[in-house]
Amino acid sequence: MINFEKELKNFQPSLEVEEAEAAIYNHDLTDVTDIITEILRDVRQNGQQLGQ
């Protein structure tokens, strides 16, 4: 029978997973919120330039 508690204590995550996790968390990604914010900023600036 497998002793799950013992196996969990011996578990070591692979370096590939840790490297991938660091790359994902440290990479500045543009998401939908960033895009919408930029579009709204552009619309407001263009509206003010047109006198609206």
Side-chain angles (χ1 to χ4, degrees):
M1 179 75 65
I2 297 174
N3 183 340
F4 287 103
E5 294 297 322
K6 180 181 176 185
E7 294 298 324
L8 286 174
K9 288 178 185 176
N10 294 330
F11 176 75
Q12 295 289 328
S14 70
L15 293 177
E16 295 171 1
V17 172
E18 290 176 356
E19 290 171 359
E21 182 180 62
I24 291 168
Y25 284 120
N26 293 330
H27 192 68
D28 187 24
L29 298 174
T30 302
D31 63 2
V32 174
T33 307
D34 296 330
I35 295 170
I36 292 172
T37 302
E38 187 173 335
I39 291 171
L40 289 173
R41 187 180 313 120
D42 290 346
V43 167
R44 288 180 184 143
Q45 287 175 350
N46 290 334
Q48 290 174 354
Q49 291 173 355
L50 297 174
Q52 294 179 349

